[in-house]
Amino acid sequence: MVKESVTPKKTFFPEKNSKLFLLVSGFSLGLFLGFLGIPWWLPSLGLMLFLGFCCFLSKGKRSFNLLLFSFILIGSLIFSKNYWESRLTLKEGKEFESYVSIEKVEPYFGGYFVEAYDKEKGRIVFKTDGLYFKPGQECLLWFKPKNIQEYSLPFFFQKELRLKAKGYEKELSFIKEKGWVCRDPKGFQVEALRFKLFQFSERLDQEAKGLFQALVLGVETNLPEEVKERLKDQGLYHLLAISGFNLAVMFWLFYRFSFWLLGFTPAVKWGYPLQNLAYITALPAAFSILVFSGFCPSAYRAFLFLSIYVFSRLFFRRTSGLIILFITVGVLLILQPYLIGNFSFLLSFMATLGLILGDRFYRFYFFDFLNRVLSSDRWYHRFLNWIIYSSWISVVVSILLMPFIFAINGKFPIWTVFNNLLAGAFWSFIFIPGCIFIAFFSFILPDIALVLGNFIGKIFCLYSYLPFWEGYLTLNLPLNLFCWLWLSFIIFIGIVWYFGSKKVSLICLLSFSLFVIVVDTLYKRASYFLVLDVGRANAMVFKSKDKYIMIDTGPNFDTNSSASEGFNWTKFYLEPTLRKLGISRIELLIISHPDLDHSGGFNTLKKNFLIKREVTGKFNSQDWEKVNLLYPLEEISSPQSLKIGETEVFLFPGAESYEDLNRESVVVVLEHGGLTIFCPGDIDVERFYRLKEEGRVFPAEVLISPHHGSKKGINQEVLSWLKPKVVLTSGRGPYHPHPEVKILLKTQGIPHFSTAEEGTLYVFPKDDYFILCLEKTRRTNFEVKMFFPLIPYYISHDSCKTFSYHRYGELN
């Protein structure tokens, strides 16, 4: 942990008048706001209001510093927005030949992830199914542009943006069939050391290999998914990341050893502080962690911070940790501006900031009091003091990291503080140093290193059975609204500290409370319908005020929950999406039929969400075998009408005896305040005729394409019965939606939107009309993106499309 002594003057924040601190903080914050797409006028308005507030409270003497900070922030923000817009301009291309130098080769889900450098295109990445290359080689390869068809879901950064934030210009597809020619490297290659460690780790047992690669090489793909999920729920997943903690452990161990060893050398008589010499000898040990990690951003930041800290001590300058941190960040962002979008870098920065501020706050406000209460001459008092200190630091770090963790997982572990205390000894003294020392041993005594590595792997297996607490907080608001509340909380805390007035504190408390009440009330009153982008599959959500109805669970073809291999689509995509939307409880879940693209995610959703009622039709038990149901479903055989909040739900099951499973899907009709949504599952035209004969087909404003836009799902006659104002398709591929369906809808003058082209689709019911918004459009519009769903539910926006409800004359 970063500890720094407080000056006798008792100045909590002496850096506030430092021009260097103002420049770097304004530059960094501007880059981050530009990455998020914040327009320049919004922070300008906030700073103007704050400046006026300062003048009103006679703090005008500080206005110059605020103006300097504002100027740097706005300039940096404008630069950042232009920087990202230019980098995200995609160009189509054909197959091409490229002469590249191989920089990294890493294991990746049964294959290999290769980083290379092309003089014309910059840093590129591609995947291979075998170990064909090694670092340092210069190769002539054939590539083609990778067709990235990822899921455009709310609160997910697109893959192209994530690649740019890691410094890659593009991901390509390697054309192995055309062959390749490589020239072996000449001379020493730093990355070759890391590659040898990868080769060594392949000889370890599975658990030992996953742990070694994560803690030494920064590659977590070979750890079993259940282990990673358990660590996430325990709040210990950050221990797998190579960051300041790893460097600090290694630096501290070598520092203590060097300091002890120097006591037996002539250096004792030199008169130069031995601790400074120990700093110098321990720094290369920390650098080795940077090399082993492949110079990952978090380790890069930590090593530069540590280097500046060490050199400040060597020259007897007591530079504050906060200044060192911001100098480090400023240098890295000037050299590599794209790091501001790298989550590994951001988490590392915010965690270190939390350590520094938490330590300073503790020593400034609590240290003297606790020293009086807990006398230092008793071991249990010192132990209790350490527990209080560590818990406080962990709480501060957790508060700062909370929005970032929610943005990644959609949930936040609540037992982080306690589990860190319990698990700290294992990671600090066994797993991290053990794996690092095994890495060194592997170069000189590989057989002994192999035995030790497997031994630590067995300890890790036993450790995984320890009864750590598991649990997490979930959002009751969408992620963007929560982030606004979190940001306002931080701002109000800063204002209270800045002015130090009881009057200001009361104003801030009342303002924040009112803001929370207004946002929460407005959101609970909002209703909307989502067609989630889940590929050629179905997953739809209707929010009826504070209640949620879900239709189908999206695809998941790894339905065996105990499988350590395979890809659980629901766990990776759908569960975090629902969490980030603020969904933790589902009143009604309807599964139209047992196909895995509609029901595959049921086990995962049932395990992780409170679902009051799960309904499906009468289907044969053989059809459910592929789903591997772990929980029973309520089967209905006759039509039902349900009331969920202000929404009417009509369920029309198919025939119990059937030849075509898709045809007998449960048809769902939702009615809410004049808006009717017809969700037919995978039925075909023949089922529509049966529904018409039974009197269960009636006009609807929104029609979800049957069977993902199949040409057998609808015809002109079906459309004349339903009279849809708009048709929405959840599908992907050349025939979902089918070209003939597109032509039919165009001929009939019915607007059609597909998740394959537009991403997630949003429908907002209003008093006299409804609004349709598209995810790809939403991402490019600041107001809708930042204030969803308050905009456009309460304030209509021209980026969304407006449709009227059916009138009586239209139905005759």
Side-chain angles (χ1 to χ4, degrees):
M1 295 184 181
V2 180
K3 296 185 179 182
E4 49 181 287
S5 58
V6 181
T7 60
K9 194 179 177 180
K10 283 284 185 179
T11 303
F12 181 79
F13 189 35
E15 298 87 355
K16 62 186 176 184
N17 294 320
S18 167
K19 301 297 186 292
L20 177 63
F21 177 78
L22 292 173
L23 290 173
V24 175
S25 58
F27 173 68
S28 305
L29 182 59
L31 282 183
F32 183 64
L33 296 178
F35 169 75
L36 295 178
I38 305 294
W40 66 270
W41 55 264
L42 186 64
S44 301
L45 179 61
L47 289 168
M48 288 176 62
L49 291 174
F50 184 70
L51 184 60
F53 196 46
C54 289
C55 294
F56 176 73
L57 293 175
S58 302
K59 297 282 185 177
K61 61 182 180 179
R62 300 176 183 174
S63 59
F64 174 77
N65 286 345
L66 184 59
L67 288 174
L68 176 63
F69 175 81
S70 305
F71 177 78
I72 297 298
L73 186 148
I74 302 303
S76 175
L77 188 154
I78 294 172
F79 163 78
S80 181
K81 288 198 69 174
N82 294 333
Y83 175 83
W84 287 105
E85 288 174 1
S86 63
R87 284 173 63 84
L88 291 175
T89 302
L90 303 180
K91 296 181 180 179
E92 296 294 331
K94 300 179 180 179
E95 295 181 0
F96 62 93
E97 193 176 29
S98 177
Y99 186 74
V100 301
S101 56
I102 306 298
E103 294 185 340
K104 292 182 184 179
V105 180
E106 299 179 350
Y108 187 81
F109 293 110
Y112 291 87
F113 189 80
V114 183
E115 296 181 21
Y117 180 77
D118 182 292
K119 291 183 179 180
E120 295 182 359
K121 302 184 183 306
R123 293 180 69 204
I124 60 173
V125 292
F126 59 94
K127 300 181 182 71
T128 63
D129 57 1
L131 185 59
Y132 308 130
F133 310 104
K134 59 183 179 181
Q137 286 183 323
E138 295 180 346
C139 301
L140 190 63
L141 311 175
W142 276 91
F143 296 108
K144 62 182 177 181
K146 188 175 181 64
N147 185 20
I148 300 176
Q149 288 189 342
E150 65 169 350
Y151 306 95
S152 188
L153 294 163
F155 309 116
F156 267 80
F157 286 113
Q158 60 265 40
K159 187 171 184 178
E160 194 68 26
L161 186 62
R162 299 198 303 271
L163 285 172
K164 300 296 184 183
K166 293 179 180 179
Y168 307 133
E169 293 305 317
K170 58 181 63 181
E171 182 177 357
L172 301 172
S173 292
F174 171 54
I175 308 177
K176 183 176 69 173
E177 294 75 17
K178 289 199 172 186
W180 64 91
V181 177
C182 290
R183 184 172 62 186
D184 287 336
K186 297 180 180 179
F188 174 74
Q189 298 286 330
V190 173
E191 184 62 28
L193 294 175
R194 188 164 180 262
F195 186 69
K196 287 183 179 179
L197 291 176
F198 275 118
Q199 292 178 310
F200 164 77
S201 67
E202 294 296 327
R203 299 168 56 194
L204 294 168
D205 295 340
Q206 184 62 38
E207 294 80 6
K209 178 175 72 173
L211 184 68
F212 180 88
Q213 290 184 353
L215 296 181
V216 177
L217 304 170
V219 177
E220 302 164 12
T221 56
N222 281 318
L223 271 172
E225 284 300 318
E226 62 268 20
V227 172
K228 291 190 282 188
E229 287 302 318
R230 192 182 307 121
L231 289 172
K232 286 179 182 179
D233 290 343
Q234 293 170 357
L236 300 175
Y237 193 78
H238 63 280
L239 295 173
L240 292 177
I242 297 179
S243 61
F245 184 67
N246 303 58
L247 270 75
V249 169
M250 197 64 182
F251 181 81
W252 182 82
L253 289 174
F254 270 83
Y255 168 78
R256 299 302 302 176
F257 176 74
S258 300
F259 187 79
W260 171 79
L261 191 62
L262 286 169
F264 301 98
T265 67
V268 178
K269 302 178 182 179
W270 294 353
Y272 191 75
L274 291 184
Q275 62 265 32
N276 285 3
L277 295 176
Y279 283 149
I280 297 173
T281 56
L283 199 57
F287 181 75
S288 66
I289 307 301
L290 184 63
V291 173
F292 293 164
S293 71
F295 294 87
C296 71
S298 56
Y300 210 149
R301 193 276 315 152
F303 181 75
L304 185 54
F305 177 93
L306 183 60
S307 300
I308 297 174
Y309 174 83
V310 167
F311 282 106
S312 70
R313 292 300 185 266
L314 292 180
F315 293 100
F316 304 102
R317 296 186 60 88
R318 301 190 64 80
T319 308
S320 74
L322 201 60
I323 288 291
I324 295 175
L325 175 63
F326 275 82
I327 290 175
T328 302
V329 170
V331 170
L332 290 177
L333 291 180
I334 289 173
L335 297 176
Q336 300 172 322
Y338 59 80
L339 285 178
I340 200 64
N342 188 301
F343 262 77
S344 175
F345 177 80
L346 290 172
L347 289 172
S348 176
F349 166 71
M350 295 300 289
T352 308
L353 180 62
L355 289 172
I356 294 172
L357 294 181
D359 173 79
R360 183 176 295 188
F361 197 96
Y362 174 86
R363 294 179 177 277
F364 196 87
Y365 292 106
F366 300 149
F367 185 75
D368 292 338
F369 170 76
L370 289 174
N371 268 356
R372 289 194 301 268
V373 176
L374 304 174
S375 57
S376 58
D377 58 338
R378 299 178 182 177
W379 70 267
Y380 53 87
H381 280 181
R382 293 197 299 271
F383 180 69
L384 183 58
N385 202 340
W386 174 81
I387 290 179
I388 295 173
Y389 174 79
S390 301
S391 301
W392 168 253
I393 295 293
S394 187
V395 167
V396 175
V397 171
S398 296
I399 291 173
L400 291 182
L401 291 182
M402 189 173 288
F404 298 93
I405 301 298
F406 274 128
I408 296 172
N409 301 321
K411 56 186 180 181
F412 185 84
I414 59 176
W415 298 109
T416 302
V417 174
F418 302 103
N419 287 336
N420 271 330
L421 294 175
L422 297 175
F426 289 94
W427 295 87
S428 300
F429 299 109
I430 299 177
F431 300 138
I432 293 177
C435 288
I436 292 171
F437 280 115
I438 287 168
F440 285 111
F441 264 96
S442 69
F443 294 114
I444 52 176
L445 299 169
D447 293 334
I448 295 177
L450 189 67
V451 174
L452 293 174
N454 288 329
F455 177 69
I456 288 184
K458 289 181 172 61
I459 296 177
F460 184 67
C461 290
L462 296 174
Y463 160 86
S464 63
Y465 290 103
L466 292 178
F468 291 107
W469 287 294
E470 295 184 11
Y472 44 81
L473 292 173
T474 56
L475 295 169
N476 291 321
L477 295 169
L479 176 63
N480 59 315
L481 298 183
F482 168 80
C483 288
W484 281 116
L485 295 180
W486 177 87
L487 180 61
S488 67
F489 172 75
I490 298 296
I491 290 174
F492 284 133
I493 290 293
I495 292 174
V496 169
W497 166 83
Y498 187 82
F499 291 102
S501 165
K502 293 182 179 180
K503 178 181 177 182
V504 172
S505 301
L506 181 60
I507 293 174
C508 288
L509 177 61
L510 293 176
S511 300
F512 178 71
S513 301
L514 180 62
F515 186 39
V516 172
I517 292 171
V518 169
V519 170
D520 184 65
T521 302
L522 290 176
Y523 178 69
K524 285 182 177 178
R525 291 178 56 191
S527 297
Y528 57 79
F529 176 72
L530 301 183
V531 181
L532 294 166
D533 180 12
V534 293
R536 192 177 69 83
N538 264 25
M540 296 169 283
V541 175
F542 192 93
K543 178 182 182 295
S544 178
K545 299 299 175 71
D546 59 342
K547 301 183 185 300
Y548 293 92
I549 304 163
M550 188 166 184
I551 304 171
D552 290 333
T553 65
N556 181 24
F557 301 99
D558 176 29
T559 54
N560 186 354
S561 61
S562 63
S564 59
E565 298 182 358
F567 180 70
N568 188 333
W569 190 97
T570 311
K571 188 72 178 176
F572 188 82
Y573 282 107
L574 188 56
E575 183 193 342
T577 298
L578 298 179
R579 297 282 188 203
K580 294 174 193 179
L581 286 167
I583 301 174
S584 57
R585 169 173 169 160
I586 299 171
E587 297 292 322
L588 176 65
L589 171 63
I590 306 157
I591 297 181
S592 61
H593 63 294
D595 279 352
L596 289 177
D597 57 335
H598 292 250
S599 62
F602 172 71
N603 290 334
T604 301
L605 293 184
K606 180 64 177 177
K607 179 182 177 182
N608 293 281
F609 292 86
L610 175 61
I611 304 176
K612 290 189 66 176
R613 187 178 181 186
E614 309 95 17
V615 176
T616 189
K618 283 279 189 179
F619 298 102
N620 297 331
S621 58
Q622 298 93 319
D623 291 319
W624 286 111
E625 289 179 357
K626 54 193 173 186
V627 183
N628 188 30
L629 285 176
L630 301 178
Y631 308 91
L633 287 166
E634 176 186 346
E635 297 180 340
I636 61 172
S637 56
S638 59
Q640 292 196 14
S641 174
L642 308 172
K643 181 84 169 180
I644 307 292
E646 298 181 2
T647 304
E648 293 279 353
V649 184
F650 300 95
L651 305 177
F652 303 123
E656 294 185 37
S657 177
Y658 55 86
E659 296 179 356
D660 189 322
L661 176 65
N662 288 332
R663 182 177 297 156
E664 307 309 322
S665 298
V666 177
V667 175
V668 183
V669 180
L670 304 172
E671 287 192 355
H672 181 94
L675 173 68
T676 302
I677 304 173
F678 201 98
C679 308
D682 280 357
I683 70 173
D684 57 10
V685 172
E686 181 177 328
R687 175 75 185 283
F688 267 114
Y689 280 102
R690 281 168 41 198
L691 289 169
K692 179 64 175 176
E693 292 175 359
E694 297 166 356
R696 294 167 186 162
V697 175
F698 33 83
E701 280 73 21
V702 179
L703 170 64
I704 307 301
S705 294
H707 206 171
H708 321 290
S710 167
K711 68 176 181 179
K712 296 181 180 181
I714 54 174
N715 58 20
Q716 185 173 343
E717 192 171 11
V718 171
L719 291 175
S720 68
W721 298 337
L722 293 171
K723 296 181 171 58
K725 295 285 185 174
V726 63
V727 175
L728 308 180
T729 299
S730 176
R732 181 166 295 177
Y735 301 108
H736 297 88
H738 199 279
E740 292 183 15
V741 172
K742 292 182 178 180
I743 294 173
L744 173 63
L745 295 173
K746 186 175 181 180
T747 303
Q748 298 295 312
I750 302 173
H752 171 251
F753 300 93
S754 168
T755 57
E757 298 172 355
E758 307 294 349
T760 297
L761 308 173
Y762 306 80
V763 179
F764 295 91
K766 307 280 276 188
D767 291 336
D768 301 315
Y769 58 93
F770 67 96
I771 296 173
L772 174 67
C773 301
L774 316 173
E775 173 63 19
K776 289 186 177 178
T777 304
R778 189 187 76 91
R779 288 181 176 182
T780 60
N781 188 279
F782 169 74
E783 292 86 356
V784 182
K785 178 174 66 173
M786 290 296 176
F787 299 101
F788 166 86
L790 306 184
I791 298 177
Y793 183 79
Y794 293 104
I795 303 175
S796 298
H797 199 275
D798 55 8
S799 66
C800 300
K801 306 177 187 305
T802 301
F803 300 90
S804 62
Y805 292 143
H806 283 302
R807 305 300 177 194
Y808 180 75
E810 296 176 342
L811 304 181
N812 295 324

